[in-house]
Amino acid sequence: MALKVGMLTSGGDCQGLNSTMRGIARGLLGSNQDVKILGFFNGYHGLMYSNYRHMTDVDFSGILTLGGTILGTSRQPFKLMHDPLREDEPEGITKLEAMLQTYQDLGLDALVVLGGNGTQKTANLLSEHGCNVIHMPKTIDNDLSGTERTFGFQSAVNIATEVIDGIHTTATSHRRVFIVEIMGNKVGWLTLYSGVASGADVILIPEIPYDPIEIVKTLHDREKKNKNFSIIAVAEGAISKEEANMKSSEIKENRKETHSVAYHLQNQLQELMIQETRVCVPGHFQRGGTPTAYDRVLTTELGVEGANAILEGDFGKMIGISCGRPIRVDIKDVAGKTKKVPMDDPVLMSARQIGICFGD
Ligand code: F6P
């Protein structure tokens, strides 16, 4: 009997989704087992509605360098999994029940889900309900617990770094302060790494609430040393010290005119100094395009380890990386846990030591 393996990509996309699927598929199809792969379209939505196609070796050819996901993706909030599948049938089956039904009807032996935090929580739920789940840790945010790296992160670091590099030259020409807003949701990994890689003068991350006065002091110090431009890399989730004591609704209200943190910060700085400031928000560009060589290697390694876990029947695992080696972590132990930048992170500490301001 063939081993039937379902596969889906869920949540925000990133670089390395296709190369991960290629690694898993090649690892499975190259084994001595008869394996059938079913690819579900648009994340958990495809599993709910049994919307899939059979995939063969050729489907995984030529996709190592391809960005995005060949299966499509969607956001299916975890908190809605017990809600009815169809709004017009409130008494009908729930989204969770619909997924379990598809799993059973198709006779799946395993389900591989590629996704971030929310995806992982749903993967855990499916696992608790008897599905044989393998989770592959995807996100540019690098915020999943139990793994040192998520795939997509390093590719996004490269893009964000290139953006800030480009901004550096124009900032220098015009003697301006530039605020570059970097993605990362509620954590600062992407901003920290791209900020350090591009020589940002100020790095603001959610884990360290900032004081605008401290930032202005740094900018003035630079001016005094005839460094007439400055770069501030700010994480989209960064908050000020004042906001750290507020509820999220109050923070929203506080920023109602600007919405994004970068424009909010620009207003705060302009009240305190005369140097011209500009904002750059590269946004989803950071998630696009081809994976870096690092991510191609990482996803191949993780993909093959995922395939091995399936072949060995070792389920309920996230395939992570630790000390450069693939590891299998129980999904139940990490689901719902966000990995923030710790204050003793070596990159953070090195950045502080070379004089980068964190606004505290
Ligand atoms: O989780 C990845 C991420 O790109 C975050 O960095 C960002 O906050 C969010 O997704 C953006 O979500 P969406 O694609 O739904 O706009």
Side-chain angles (χ1 to χ4, degrees):
M1 275 259 283
L3 189 70
K4 265 189 166 181
V5 180
M7 206 183 270
L8 59 85
T9 54
S10 165
D13 74 346
C14 72
Q15 305 88 343
L17 285 165
N18 291 325
S19 52
T20 304
M21 288 193 276
R22 173 181 175 271
I24 298 164
R26 293 249 161 114
L28 289 173
L29 298 171
S31 73
N32 52 16
Q33 287 226 35
D34 181 14
V35 179
K36 297 224 176 313
I37 299 176
L38 284 66
F40 291 92
F41 297 115
N42 305 326
Y44 288 124
H45 188 275
L47 189 62
M48 288 170 198
Y49 288 91
S50 198
N51 188 11
Y52 68 95
R53 73 179 164 99
H54 288 281
M55 301 177 86
T56 59
D57 191 38
V58 68
D59 291 308
F60 300 98
S61 269
I63 63 167
L64 175 64
T65 58
L66 192 65
T69 158
I70 55 170
L71 287 177
T73 185
S74 66
R75 290 199 185 277
Q76 301 291 330
F78 170 71
K79 60 179 183 222
L80 302 183
M81 286 302 157
H82 296 285
D83 281 15
L85 177 66
R86 296 176 202 274
E87 274 179 28
D88 55 344
E89 286 176 23
E91 303 305 323
I93 61 167
T94 65
K95 293 169 196 273
L96 172 63
E97 285 163 349
M99 292 192 289
L100 296 173
Q101 201 170 310
T102 303
Y103 185 93
Q104 267 170 15
D105 289 351
L106 294 174
L108 294 182
D109 296 299
L111 177 70
V112 187
V113 297
L114 290 74
N117 270 317
T119 302
Q120 189 186 54
K121 285 195 268 181
T122 300
N124 189 41
L125 189 64
L126 289 169
S127 176
E128 284 170 350
H129 283 80
C131 300
N132 293 331
V133 178
I134 293 292
H135 171 233
M136 307 301 294
K138 158 245 74 158
T139 172
I140 63 167
D141 304 340
N142 195 36
D143 62 351
L144 288 170
S145 288
T147 182
E148 282 163 15
R149 282 281 168 279
T150 57
F151 61 85
F153 172 66
Q154 219 266 346
S155 301
V157 168
N158 268 21
I159 295 181
T161 301
E162 272 181 41
V163 170
I164 304 176
D165 286 351
I167 289 297
H168 244 116
T169 59
T170 178
T172 315
S173 308
H174 289 267
R175 297 165 304 285
R176 283 173 173 159
V177 172
F178 257 90
I179 303 168
V180 186
E181 185 176 302
I182 306 297
M183 272 188 165
N185 204 3
K186 295 196 172 72
V187 301
W189 294 105
L190 188 51
T191 309
L192 175 64
Y193 274 64
S194 58
V196 169
S198 60
D201 309 296
V202 179
I203 295 179
L204 304 176
I205 60 175
E207 292 85 346
I208 307 175
Y210 68 84
D211 179 348
I213 294 174
E214 291 305 319
I215 300 171
V216 170
K217 269 191 210 161
T218 299
L219 302 179
H220 282 161
D221 278 355
R222 284 180 53 78
E223 270 186 304
K224 275 189 223 146
K225 292 176 188 158
N226 292 327
K227 298 177 180 181
N228 293 320
F229 71 92
S230 292
I231 305 286
I232 303 173
V234 59
E236 62 176 346
I239 50 168
S240 66
K241 285 193 171 171
E242 190 194 357
E243 287 171 327
N245 300 315
M246 294 181 184
K247 292 189 199 131
S248 53
S249 56
E250 291 169 332
I251 297 178
K252 236 182 185 174
E253 176 65 19
N254 195 36
R255 295 186 189 172
K256 67 174 185 287
E257 275 158 31
T258 49
H259 301 294
S260 103
V261 64
Y263 288 99
H264 179 67
L265 179 64
Q266 184 182 36
N267 285 352
Q268 289 178 310
L269 296 184
Q270 274 174 349
E271 279 174 18
L272 298 168
M273 55 179 231
I274 48 169
Q275 203 176 359
E276 245 186 315
T277 57
R278 290 287 187 274
V279 167
C280 168
V281 184
H284 292 75
F285 185 57
Q286 294 161 90
R287 276 183 5 202
T290 186
T292 54
Y294 175 93
D295 268 337
R296 293 176 203 176
V297 174
L298 175 67
T299 52
T300 301
E301 250 190 313
L302 295 182
V304 169
E305 183 67 7
N308 288 341
I310 294 169
L311 294 168
E312 290 164 24
D314 188 13
F315 296 114
K317 305 286 178 186
M318 173 184 79
I319 309 300
I321 192 107
S322 174
C323 301
R325 291 193 164 270
I327 49 164
R328 300 176 193 174
V329 181
D330 285 331
I331 301 177
K332 64 173 167 36
D333 292 344
V334 289
K337 290 185 188 159
T338 305
K339 183 182 67 188
K340 291 175 184 278
V341 178
M343 291 308 104
D344 62 351
D345 178 76
V347 177
L348 174 66
M349 293 205 297
S350 308
R352 282 199 191 276
Q353 205 171 328
I354 62 166
I356 294 176
C357 164
F358 281 84
D360 56 343

